[in-house]
Amino acid sequence: MDSLLRSFNRKKIVDPSTLTSTELNRCLSIFDLTVLGIGSTLGAGIYVLAGDVARHDTGPSIVLSFLIAAIASILSGLCYGEFGARVPKAGSAYVYSYVTIGELCAFVIGWNLLLEYVIGTSSVARAWSSYFDSLFDGAIKNFTISTIGEMHASGIAEYPDVLSVLVVLILTTVLAVGIKKTSWFNTLFTGINLFVILFIICVGAFYARPKNWSSSFMPYGMSGVMTGAATCFYAFVGFDVIATTGEEARNPSRAIPISIVLALVFCFLAYFGVSAVLTLMWPSSDLPVDGTLPNVFALRGAPWAKYVIAVGALCGLTSSLLGALLPLPRMLYSMASDGLIFKFLAKVNPRTEIPMIATVISGVFSAILAFIFNLHDLVEMMSIGTLLAYTMVAVCVLVLRYQPDTIGLIKENSSSLSSHLAEKDISEEDTPLLGVLLRDTRKPSRKTALLALIATVVSCIGFAGVCALIIWASHALLQASWWAILMMVLVGVAAIGSMVVLLLLPQNKTPLPFKVPFVPLLPLLSVFINLFLILKLSYLTWIRFAVWMVIGLSIYLFYGLRHSVEKERQDEQHTEKSQPT
């Protein structure tokens, strides 16, 4: 049992001298990564999600929902930026948690990211198919039903979506030709999409009616805004493709954080502008169900805009589909390279310099899901894995900032670096924890790192308790029920007290290419928002997530534990030590 626990906690050893070496093609610039992030993120959120959320959950206050979701994403994006600068390897949050927390946590995060990418691909493919079909008044759907028939089983789509399968397989072929050509393809479609979004905002502002906001800006109250924010978070999923492709960036330590922030800012401005003009043009409660944007323009006397919007929608959804499909084989490659899943998935084609087998399997699996599941079920299954990954990245930032050692790349040309790394704070090892906390120490030690880890865990538990009480006991809190007040005080004191401890503890001052500002406050705020959005998800999402995790943990326990590269490295070290000199 003790050996099993040690296996779960073993960490990936990162050698800074090999971080910039890779079998993949390092060819992506800041511009390429930013456009890739925008293309991955800016698709279904504008053309499909905005109208649905405004109609059912928020009304015109959807702009606030997008703002909250954007803040949560930018906070997570900054945390991704620091790790992308530290460890510029394919795998994103999976690699980050592997080097800081341990193998089991890394596998869970990686398996959740696989879920995010697969469902992201399938859901956008479904959205692409639905939008394209709406241009022909459902002719493709009617033809499919009349030719193949309907699927009457519960939990799957009404009919098999052949068109979405074809789209996924075509884009899988595009990915197979290499990352640089894929980047050119994405840049072209993203450029067209951005032009059409600018057109929607400018023309929509001309047809705006301010009374549509003044009459009822927040018809469903703040609860509706937060529910909408949890859904709108889906619209920002995709920026982590930048971190996942970090192994193919020319200067990842600089390019990854800059590209993530730029991509998220551009996406928020687009979402805010389109959702604002949409709800200003037409009453949110009466927004059309299908083809919301083009139909609203038609209702306002501009039916000709339908064709321009259709081009932008299909280009945007194509870029978003490509961005969802692109990181999936990279994640498989990273996990297979570490031996946690089947190693044949890590084979790289020497001509195209991409993991070809992983790319083909990714496309086929995503196409199968798009073929049999509907859009709503796919979107519900997606958010939980993404939010957990974002939460773990923020936690990993906190853990590393309070460690005495530095993991990953460091900022070059720092005169104080060598002296900083050479110093060892041995005197603190024998100092009591309370003494370490109260004294004004400048360098972290093993004891302060342990105390920081405990404070981080307590903060997360406290935040989860606060969020749970706000969501499920808000009525009791408003009624001043003693038990609700007592519980809020207890979890609130735990959260605030642990935050104070983190503020007092010394942090690692090693200069990095990029560092999250305002640590620990900013990562903790990211954790709080992500936990709140996680707890807003439905119980069916948790059930599907549990099934997915059972499958993943079975693979890890029966394959990954025995074939882990870190296990093999530790066994070799043990063998060398046991041999006589």
Side-chain angles (χ1 to χ4, degrees):
M1 186 64 181
D2 184 57
S3 175
L4 184 63
L5 291 177
R6 285 199 302 270
S7 299
F8 291 161
N9 291 326
R10 61 190 171 214
K11 298 178 176 63
K12 184 179 180 69
I13 302 301
V14 177
D15 183 359
S17 63
T18 63
L19 278 176
T20 55
S21 62
T22 177
E23 294 182 86
L24 305 180
N25 184 14
R26 285 201 182 276
C27 60
L28 300 180
S29 63
I30 291 177
F31 176 79
D32 294 327
L33 290 173
T34 303
V35 175
L36 185 62
I38 293 173
S40 304
T41 310
L42 207 57
I46 279 183
Y47 299 105
V48 179
L49 194 65
D52 186 61
V53 173
R55 184 171 52 251
H56 293 298
D57 297 322
T58 64
S61 60
I62 185 176
V63 293
L64 299 180
S65 296
F66 272 122
L67 176 61
I68 294 169
I71 292 172
S73 297
I74 289 174
L75 292 175
S76 298
L78 291 172
C79 297
Y80 267 87
E82 176 169 326
F83 266 110
R86 282 179 183 263
V87 189
K89 287 290 186 180
S92 186
Y94 157 73
V95 172
Y96 309 157
S97 56
Y98 205 167
V99 301
T100 56
I101 297 179
E103 188 171 281
L104 177 61
C105 176
F107 181 87
V108 170
I109 295 301
W111 193 247
N112 284 327
L113 286 174
L114 289 177
L115 177 67
E116 172 195 334
Y117 298 141
V118 168
I119 293 180
T121 302
S122 305
S123 62
V124 177
R126 271 277 177 175
W128 195 101
S129 172
S130 174
Y131 205 95
F132 186 81
D133 195 20
S134 69
L135 300 177
F136 302 97
D137 298 322
I140 298 175
K141 173 183 176 181
N142 295 331
F143 176 78
T144 303
I145 292 176
S146 62
T147 305
I148 302 177
E150 294 183 293
M151 299 188 295
H152 297 288
S154 61
I156 61 176
E158 177 187 355
Y159 69 99
D161 195 339
V162 179
L163 182 59
S164 64
V165 172
L166 294 176
V167 171
V168 172
L169 295 181
I170 289 171
L171 289 185
T172 302
T173 305
V174 172
L175 286 178
V177 301
I179 185 63
K180 192 60 182 177
K181 293 183 176 63
T182 301
S183 176
W184 294 341
F185 182 88
N186 176 74
T187 300
L188 173 63
F189 278 79
T190 301
I192 298 173
N193 184 30
L194 289 174
F195 174 79
V196 173
I197 288 171
L198 187 62
F199 165 85
I200 292 171
I201 294 173
C202 294
V203 177
F206 177 77
Y207 289 102
R209 290 175 175 171
K211 68 176 184 179
N212 289 327
W213 273 24
S214 59
S215 58
S216 180
F217 179 74
M218 201 182 292
Y220 302 97
M222 197 61 198
S223 176
V225 171
M226 296 307 298
T227 300
T231 307
C232 288
F233 183 82
Y234 166 80
F236 290 92
V237 168
F239 76 83
D240 54 336
V241 67
I242 297 173
T244 307
T245 53
E247 202 163 330
E248 292 157 290
R250 291 176 191 163
N251 184 7
S253 295
R254 180 171 179 267
I256 290 175
I258 294 175
S259 302
I260 286 176
V261 174
L262 286 176
L264 287 173
V265 169
F266 270 103
C267 291
F268 166 68
L269 293 175
Y271 287 135
F272 186 93
V274 171
S275 59
V277 298
L278 179 66
T279 51
L280 281 168
M281 289 173 67
W282 201 256
S284 58
S285 58
D286 296 327
L287 287 172
V289 176
D290 296 318
T292 303
L293 270 172
N295 284 328
V296 165
F297 274 87
L299 289 170
R300 294 290 286 119
W304 51 270
K306 171 181 180 179
Y307 303 102
V308 179
I309 296 172
V311 171
L314 293 177
C315 287
L317 290 171
T318 301
S319 296
S320 186
L321 177 57
L322 187 67
L325 187 57
L326 177 64
L328 181 53
R330 273 76 182 167
M331 178 60 65
L332 289 171
Y333 162 80
S334 184
M335 296 181 72
S337 297
D338 291 329
L340 301 191
I341 59 176
F342 310 111
K343 291 187 177 182
F344 70 87
L345 294 171
K347 292 183 179 179
V348 175
N349 186 292
R351 186 174 63 84
T352 60
E353 297 180 290
I354 65 164
M356 184 66 72
I357 297 175
T359 299
V360 173
I361 290 177
S362 300
V364 171
F365 187 42
S366 300
I368 292 172
L369 290 185
F371 184 71
I372 60 176
F373 287 103
N374 62 45
L375 178 62
H376 179 73
D377 290 334
L378 289 169
V379 171
E380 273 195 346
M381 291 171 63
M382 182 175 178
S383 293
I384 188 167
T386 309
L387 287 165
L388 282 172
Y390 289 1
T391 303
M392 288 309 304
V393 169
V395 170
C396 289
V397 166
L398 287 172
V399 171
L400 282 191
R401 280 297 187 89
Y402 292 94
Q403 293 293 322
D405 304 319
T406 299
I407 294 177
L409 294 178
I410 56 177
K411 192 174 183 179
E412 297 179 357
N413 301 323
S414 173
S415 59
S416 63
L417 179 61
S418 58
S419 61
H420 175 86
L421 293 178
E423 290 176 344
K424 301 291 184 180
D425 192 11
I426 300 174
S427 62
E428 290 185 359
E429 294 299 328
D430 299 322
T431 305
L433 286 180
L434 183 59
V436 170
L437 177 61
L438 294 178
R439 57 183 286 197
D440 183 22
T441 181
R442 297 180 62 84
K443 298 185 296 297
S445 67
R446 297 298 177 190
K447 270 194 171 59
T448 60
L450 175 61
L451 189 56
L453 178 61
I454 295 172
T456 301
V457 172
V458 173
S459 293
C460 293
I461 295 173
F463 288 158
V466 171
C467 293
L469 287 170
I470 292 174
I471 294 172
W472 294 308
S474 56
H475 181 72
L477 288 170
L478 292 174
Q479 297 294 324
S481 298
W482 69 268
W483 64 269
I485 299 296
L486 178 61
M487 290 295 295
M488 180 60 79
V489 169
L490 291 176
V491 295
V493 168
I496 295 173
S498 56
M499 288 173 59
V500 171
V501 171
L502 289 173
L503 285 168
L504 294 175
L505 288 172
Q507 297 183 25
N508 192 311
K509 303 297 183 183
T510 303
L512 301 172
F514 175 79
K515 299 179 84 169
V516 177
F518 308 115
V519 172
L521 299 180
L522 195 149
L524 287 175
L525 179 60
S526 175
V527 170
F528 178 80
I529 296 175
N530 291 336
L531 288 175
F532 186 88
L533 296 178
I534 286 173
L535 294 177
K536 290 288 286 184
L537 297 172
S538 68
Y539 74 94
L540 290 175
T541 303
W542 284 94
I543 293 175
R544 297 186 184 106
F545 172 72
V547 173
W548 177 254
M549 285 310 306
V550 167
I551 297 172
L553 290 176
S554 299
I555 295 174
Y556 174 67
L557 293 174
F558 292 104
Y559 181 88
L561 269 179
R562 292 184 291 110
H563 294 85
S564 169
V565 172
E566 289 304 312
K567 174 183 179 298
E568 295 173 358
R569 182 188 60 80
Q570 291 178 2
D571 290 345
E572 289 176 1
Q573 290 180 343
H574 180 72
T575 302
E576 291 175 357
K577 290 179 180 179
S578 61
Q579 290 177 348
T581 57

